[in-house]
Structures are given as structure tokens and as C-alpha cells.
Amino acid sequence: MTSIHKHPKAINANSASPYVKLRSINIGDCRWTEGFWAEKFKLAEEVMVPHMGSLLKGDIGHAYNNFKIAAGLMDGEAKGMLWHDGDFYKWMEACLYIYAINKDEKILAELDEIIDVIGKAQEDDGYLHTHVQINKSGRWRVITDHELYNSGHLIQGALIHYRVTGKTNWLDLAIKHADYLYTVFEPREERLCRFGFNPSQIMALVELYRTTENKKYLQLADIFVSMRGTASMDLHETVPYWFTGDQIQNKTPLREEVQAVGHAVTGMYLWSGAADVYAETGDKEIIEALDRIWDSATNRKMYVTGALGQCHHGAYDDKNMIHEGFIDDYLMPNSTAYNETCANISNAMFNWRLLGIKGESKYADVMETVLYNSAMVGISEDGKHYFYANPLRFNHGQREYSDHCDCTESPDREPYIECFCCPPNLVRTIAKVSGWAYSLSDNGVAVNIFGGNKLDTQLLDGSPIKLTQRTNYPWEGSVSITIDECKKEAFEVLLRIPAWADSAKVAINGKDAGVDVKPGEFVTLSREWAAGDTISLELPMSIDLIEGHPRIEEVRNQVAIKRGPVVYAVESPDLPEGTGILDVHLCADKPLVAEHKADFLGGVTVVKGTAMLRPNETNSMYRKVKKPNYKTIEAQFVPYYAWSNRGTAEMTVFMPVLWSC
Ligand SMILES: [Zn+2]
């Protein structure tokens, strides 16, 4: 398996992809050393990943049991959702990002044992789906069996295993499986054109092409992109209930799509996979469609937290029942927002790909918004409890919640969720952020995500580049980057200036860099660098009030608090006892002050300010109103991601705003 790739061990090994401007570093080239991401990685290494492993390998999660049963090593029933195999592979992938940094051989030994069982479960022709095999329910029966979702994570996990370890025991199973898929889908029975919603397999097949250089995997990925929108919207033997039309991105062929539609996760996986196909083929119709979809998702359907999927159950038009997905432009409910953790993460995944393809920092801005807000909210401070849905407001009595553990809309993070797609997705993301922190331009390096780290990689010409980044971001706005080693010839350092950073300053060796620093763009620092050169970036960490577009009815006359990339919320433990979250109004012209609390909620900067309470005294739907009697309080606002770590609470991001109070 020879490779012309400069960085073949990247998460997305796009260093030889013809239609990419910023390329990935190898896994392990960047290591967190201090601050936010170092702390989260440590929690992933010590708690999140091992704890999740004990759930999934034990009887609660039952995922490993499913493989053992399918392999004939154990008796029992298939349990968990039909996509449980895929979620187990995601946990295995998370283990590999941890191993890439800590080189703990026990992790690999355990994975080898599991891979051996997976190999025994795989059928001779390459098919693998434990539920279908155990239940003998039949292959390619209904699209909701999620066969291709499981395929995607099987292949993706195997590639990361190969890239990190050089071992082929998992990759061999993945290739056997991908070869089987090729025989099923090229050519394919007409009925199969509906398959491939929730298509993690497209991204994985492009990566398999990148590693093996076997073009048939790229061809298969392109087939899965092109198949969307080729079936009628009628119900079909393969399509149960409402899984038709826009819900599964099957109403409009992708190349003709004009907006983000349907299930938010399956959409973002499709569009991420299509972006990977574009990176290899340069298919203009694909990138033009993705531009339209990005604009729709980001500018008309995305929450201030970077979250996607405005509703659990809704409708787009009379033929488009929508489940866990996108609805109309600017229709942005707070308390009933679905915002599945996976959807938010997949938004970052889509933007990561567009960042590479376009080289524009606005995509990294979205990634950052997701990471600090709508992704991180999915896990508790202790690393053992999970949110699935992530509304921007929670007030008691807004909904009936089931005690049953498969509830995806829970008032508290759950220790286990029957539908377990989000937790391993989030943990693998936390474990791999270092792989997103930097990219490589044609002759330089781009700083995408800030955090204390050391980078040790090669520029695309093969010359070594070593950097040390020091910062306490996102709590402080100073970022210092020292060149430890580099080539003698000139090269560029691209620094992302977030769109919110109105007055960022860049200096080199203590002197103003003399460059035009524009919010929302990379600033390019091009010169002959030497070891010891230091770049200083000062980002203004002002506390900003954010309002929505006037067409967002749900936030009219309301504001959210944001400091740097972090969105804040007010939560009932910080309010006088008995205060309802809907009583809280923000005094916008009173000072808002940041205060760092190292021992609070895992170490956060809180915002303090003044709020006014207007108790709700009636339950009538409509009533006459007179100027209310407000009660003034000193309020504390916490990072949205850190809410619900102090018992069952009410919370809101957007609050009614009062001026001149
Ligand atoms: Zn999920």
C-alpha cells in the first residue's frame, strides 16, 4: 500500500486531494499541553472513554455482546438500536485518538481482542450487521435498518486504526466489507436506490480511497451521493412510515438542492460525504449545491450555539414529515429545539471539510461555535452523563418526559441513552480536536482552533515545522505562538481572526505585524521565520449581547450573552429560590463583568450582571397587561455547555431585554 500522501495519517487524509486548499496534519502531530482542550482531552482519556467502554462492553450497553452473539461466541438477543454497531465503532475510534497521544499499549491489546470478535461476526462475503444477522431479518430490507450507517463507522474506525497503528487487522475487515458493498450497489437492484440515508459510509469510502488509492471506493461514494433524490417520494417496501422525501434528503437530487432539509444528522453526513467526493473529483455541481446548503443551514436555520435541527417532529410541507431536523427559515423555537448532539457535531464536520476546500476561516468559526457550545453541552462535567437533545431553554412543565431510558429529550443528562449515537460521537470528537487545530496551506500552516499545544509536523514541501502555542483561550484572549523549528526559506502562518473579534491585534516579536487584521478572515503572516520568533494575537474578550434576525419571532426583544466564542445561559441554581426561568429579564445597560472560577463547573469564566424578575402570576393564555413591578437581582450567567451540572434546573440562553432599567 504505497502512498503519495504527505500526511497519510490524518483524520481526513486529504494531502493529495486535488480540490483542497488547506490540508490535514497527521493524527498526533498536535498535542494539547494546557488549558481548555488539554483538560477536556485528559477527561476523555481518564474518564469519558474508559467509562463509555465499560457501558458498551457490559450488559447496559450490550454493543460488544451483539458482536459476540453474531460471532457465535455467546447466546442471547440483539439489543440496542439498529445502529448500535456503528456507535460501538465510534467508541473504538475514540480509543485510537487517545492511543495516538498516550501510546498506552493496553488500549491496542483490547482493540485487537474486539477486532478479532468483529472478524468472527463478519460473514464470509463481507456483510456485517449484528442485529440483522442475529435476528435473521434479511439484508437490505428497509432503509431504517441503518446498514450503511454501520458500514461507514466500520470503515472509518478501521482507517483510523490503520493510520494510527499501521496494523491491518481491522482494515482488512473494512476492505472486505467495502468490496461487498460494491457488489451490492454497482450495479444495483432498482429498489436499493433509497438506501443510504444517514450516510456515514460516503465519508468513510472517500477515506478508504485515500488510503488504498483504489478508485472503486471513490466511485461507490459518488454513487451514494448521486443516488439521493432518484426515488419517488411514495412509500415503498423499503421505506417505513415517514422516511421519505426531504426527511431523508431524497426529494431533490443533491446537485439541485437549494437548502438544508430533513433530518439534520443524515443531511450533514450526506453533505460532508459529498464535500469529500468534491475534494477528489472537483464536481462543480456538488460544491455549488453545498454552498447553497451551507448558506441555508448557517444563515437561516442555525442556533447561536451552532446547533442544528429546529424540531423533533414537524413538517415542511404536506408531503414532508420532518423528524429531528430542519424546518422553515428563521423558525427557531428555544425550548422545543431538538439540536441533537450528533447534528451539532456533524455541523462541525461539514464545516471542517469546507474549511479545507475553500480555505476560508468562516467555516472554522462555525466549528469553534459548535465545539464550545452545542457539542460540549452533550456531556457532563464528570464525563459520564449525556444530553441527546440540546434546547436553548428548559422550563419545568414544558413537556411530559418519559422515565424510560430511551428518552432523547431529558431534563437532565442521562447516564445511558438507549439510542446511543451521540455520546460516542461527542467523545471521539473531543479526543480528536487536536487534529482540527491546524491545517497546512501550500507553503505554510493555518491556526484554526486556539489552545495550549505543541505542533510537530511537516509543511507540504516536507520541511519540519514545530510550534508552541500558549493561551488560556477561551477564557482569555491572548494567544502566543513561538516557532521552535522551521525551514530557512519564507513561509506563511495563517491566523484565524474570529468574526466576533472586532479589534484583534497581531504582533511579531513584540512589534505590530503591520498587516490588515479583518474579523472573519485568516490574517496571513508571510516572512522568513527563525526559531524563537513569537507571534502574539490579542483577541478582545468583550461581553456581547446578541440578538437574532427580526424574522426569528422566538427571540424578538430578547438577547443572549456571548463572550468570545462562548454562549452563556442563566440557570435556576443561580436565581433566588422559586424563580421561574421565564421571569428573568436582562438589564442591558447595567455592567456585565467576567470572573474566572477555577473550581466551578470544571473551571469556567462566568458573567455577572443585573437581571429583573417579573413573576408570572397567571396561567391564562392571554391577559391585559400593565407596567409590571420588577424585582432587581444580581445574576450570574454560566457557559451554556456547563448548565445542568447542579441538579435538575431551568435554563435559558435568550432572555427578554430591558434598557434604561
Ligand atoms: Zn446522536
Side-chain angles (χ1 to χ4, degrees):
M1 220 175 280
T2 58
S3 178
I4 55 165
H5 295 277
K6 302 279 192 344
H7 296 82
K9 298 175 180 174
I11 299 167
N12 301 100
N14 60 6
S15 61
S17 305
Y19 299 93
V20 167
K21 289 182 178 155
L22 292 178
R23 300 168 192 281
S24 304
I25 56 172
N26 280 339
I27 300 163
D29 282 359
C30 171
R31 292 158 179 265
W32 303 118
T33 52
E34 60 180 5
F36 187 92
W37 290 112
E39 288 160 17
K40 296 301 176 197
F41 183 87
K42 186 162 177 273
L43 194 63
E45 178 185 14
E46 293 178 356
V47 180
M48 293 177 191
V49 173
H51 175 74
M52 187 174 292
S54 66
L55 290 175
L56 291 173
K57 288 179 290 171
D59 292 335
I60 295 173
H62 200 79
Y64 193 24
N65 289 350
N66 287 343
F67 283 97
K68 289 180 184 166
I69 296 163
L73 302 170
M74 182 177 160
D75 292 327
E77 296 169 15
K79 291 184 186 167
M81 298 293 180
L82 288 150
W83 46 94
H84 212 35
D85 293 358
D87 298 335
F88 190 56
Y89 301 136
K90 279 189 281 191
W91 168 76
M92 294 172 71
E93 189 185 335
C95 292
L96 288 158
Y97 297 128
I98 302 292
Y99 170 78
I101 300 297
N102 74 9
K103 301 290 180 192
D104 179 351
E105 293 301 325
K106 289 198 291 293
I107 294 175
L108 281 201
E110 183 181 30
L111 290 181
D112 276 346
E113 209 177 293
I114 295 169
I115 292 162
D116 195 43
V117 172
I118 293 172
K120 289 192 170 94
Q122 186 173 33
E123 300 206 5
D124 290 342
D125 65 355
Y127 184 84
L128 182 54
H129 184 304
T130 63
H131 275 253
V132 169
Q133 291 168 257
I134 294 166
N135 295 330
K136 297 186 171 45
S137 51
R139 298 179 187 184
W140 312 109
R141 190 178 55 95
V142 286
I143 63 170
T144 43
D145 276 352
H146 283 74
E147 282 153 304
L148 289 165
Y149 172 86
N150 288 343
S151 298
H153 290 294
L154 169 69
I155 298 166
Q156 175 67 20
L159 284 162
I160 299 301
H161 184 252
Y162 170 71
R163 290 174 186 176
V164 167
T165 68
K167 294 165 72 120
T168 58
N169 48 335
W170 191 358
L171 184 62
D172 291 343
L173 309 181
I175 288 174
K176 189 173 165 186
H177 185 74
D179 289 345
Y180 161 76
L181 292 182
Y182 193 87
T183 66
V184 174
F185 285 93
E186 182 54 22
R188 66 196 157 275
E189 294 171 51
E190 191 276 334
R191 65 190 285 283
L192 291 181
C193 69
R194 292 165 179 81
F195 280 79
F197 99 101
N198 213 348
S200 58
Q201 85 283 2
I202 303 174
M203 294 176 273
L205 285 164
V206 174
E207 292 301 331
L208 189 59
Y209 160 69
R210 287 169 174 169
T211 283
T212 64
E213 296 171 29
N214 186 335
K215 283 199 167 157
K216 79 176 187 183
Y217 303 128
L218 177 60
Q219 182 199 353
L220 192 53
D222 190 53
I223 286 169
F224 285 125
V225 170
S226 302
M227 256 170 42
R228 309 312 302 154
T230 61
S232 78
M233 284 182 57
D234 299 329
L235 285 176
H236 184 265
E237 60 176 15
T238 61
V239 182
Y241 200 21
W242 65 67
F243 280 80
T244 181
D246 275 342
Q247 166 64 11
I248 59 167
Q249 291 83 33
N250 207 20
K251 179 179 171 189
T252 308
L254 184 137
R255 288 172 179 80
E256 296 166 23
E257 188 54 86
V258 296
Q259 59 176 328
V261 294
H263 193 286
V265 182
T266 74
M268 280 290 153
Y269 282 5
L270 170 63
W271 304 321
S272 296
D276 288 338
V277 171
Y278 170 80
E280 302 303 327
T281 65
D283 183 331
K284 267 190 81 174
E285 287 182 320
I286 288 183
I287 197 66
E288 286 169 5
L290 296 181
D291 285 343
R292 295 189 295 269
I293 291 164
W294 183 88
D295 182 46
S296 161
T298 311
N299 293 325
R300 294 185 294 281
K301 302 190 183 191
M302 187 175 82
Y303 285 89
V304 69
T305 56
L308 296 178
Q310 299 122 293
C311 76
H312 191 167
H313 301 292
Y316 192 72
D317 60 38
D318 61 346
K319 280 194 171 175
N320 281 269
M321 297 302 293
I322 295 299
H323 172 66
E324 305 180 338
F326 296 104
I327 45 176
D328 302 41
D329 290 353
Y330 302 114
L331 185 51
M332 311 295 295
N334 290 304
S335 58
T336 58
Y338 199 62
N339 294 346
E340 177 180 343
T341 308
C342 283
N344 312 337
I345 292 168
S346 64
N347 192 20
M349 291 164 64
F350 181 46
N351 277 278
W352 166 239
R353 285 159 171 81
L354 293 177
L355 172 68
I357 289 166
K358 307 264 186 170
E360 293 173 37
S361 74
K362 66 180 182 180
Y363 302 108
D365 281 0
V366 177
M367 293 168 66
E368 177 178 74
T369 301
V370 169
L371 287 171
Y372 286 117
N373 301 293
S374 54
M376 201 56 72
V377 71
I379 197 154
S380 58
E381 183 192 343
D382 72 3
K384 296 180 179 177
H385 296 77
Y386 317 104
F387 269 143
Y388 189 106
N390 299 288
L392 273 71
R393 177 176 298 152
F394 179 80
N395 57 291
H396 297 312
Q398 72 189 34
R399 279 203 174 167
E400 291 293 323
Y401 291 93
S402 162
D403 291 335
H404 200 257
C405 61
D406 69 355
C407 181
T408 57
E409 289 164 299
S410 152
D412 303 297
R413 291 187 188 83
E414 300 281 351
Y416 186 73
I417 307 169
E418 191 73 9
C419 177
F420 205 67
C421 53
C422 299
N425 209 5
L426 179 52
V427 168
R428 75 169 176 157
T429 302
I430 292 169
K432 77 175 182 190
V433 176
S434 58
W436 286 352
Y438 294 92
S439 299
L440 299 165
S441 63
D442 285 351
N443 183 32
V445 59
V447 185
N448 304 320
I449 305 287
F450 304 115
N453 65 59
K454 277 189 176 287
L455 176 70
D456 180 355
T457 190
Q458 297 84 39
L459 298 181
L460 292 178
D461 63 7
S463 62
I465 173 84
K466 292 185 185 177
L467 309 175
T468 300
Q469 185 179 154
R470 292 188 184 89
T471 180
N472 193 23
Y473 191 84
W475 311 127
E476 293 170 19
S478 298
V479 178
S480 157
I481 297 171
T482 303
I483 311 272
D484 298 323
E485 186 182 334
C486 66
K487 64 179 180 181
K488 288 197 182 97
E489 297 79 21
F491 66 94
E492 63 190 16
V493 176
L494 304 174
L495 276 185
R496 182 174 65 89
I497 309 300
W500 50 262
D502 296 330
S503 54
K505 291 191 170 43
V506 180
I508 299 172
N509 297 332
K511 289 186 194 142
D512 187 281
V515 289
D516 198 8
V517 181
K518 289 187 191 151
E521 294 185 13
F522 280 111
V523 63
T524 302
L525 306 174
S526 188
R527 57 184 257 155
E528 288 173 10
W529 299 91
D533 282 347
T534 297
I535 301 163
S536 309
L537 170 65
E538 285 295 331
L539 296 167
M541 301 306 278
S542 57
I543 301 169
D544 299 316
L545 300 182
I546 307 294
E547 68 174 358
H549 189 287
R551 282 181 59 190
I552 309 174
E553 293 180 36
E554 294 85 348
V555 299
R556 289 301 302 268
N557 297 320
Q558 297 175 55
V559 293
I561 295 173
K562 196 159 173 263
R563 180 174 181 269
V566 179
V567 174
Y568 282 77
V570 61
E571 195 187 2
S572 46
D574 295 317
L575 295 169
E577 206 173 327
T579 305
I581 207 71
L582 303 178
D583 300 353
V584 180
H585 296 55
L586 182 73
C587 290
D589 44 7
K590 291 277 180 2
L592 291 166
V593 181
E595 181 183 326
H596 192 71
K597 294 188 171 180
D599 299 323
F600 182 57
L601 299 173
V604 297
T605 295
V606 301
V607 170
K608 294 195 164 172
T610 305
M612 296 182 84
L613 304 181
R614 179 194 166 187
N616 184 18
E617 287 153 1
T618 168
N619 266 330
S620 60
M621 184 93 171
Y622 303 100
R623 64 268 182 141
K624 295 177 182 174
V625 64
K626 290 181 187 153
K627 185 177 178 183
N629 290 318
Y630 292 101
K631 182 182 161 201
T632 305
I633 61 160
E634 294 307 306
Q636 172 168 281
F637 306 92
V638 298
Y640 166 71
Y641 80 80
W643 89 277
S644 191
N645 279 300
R646 293 176 285 167
T648 304
E650 293 194 330
M651 173 280 299
T652 188
V653 169
F654 278 98
M655 295 157 281
V657 61
L658 300 174
W659 304 86
S660 308
C661 48

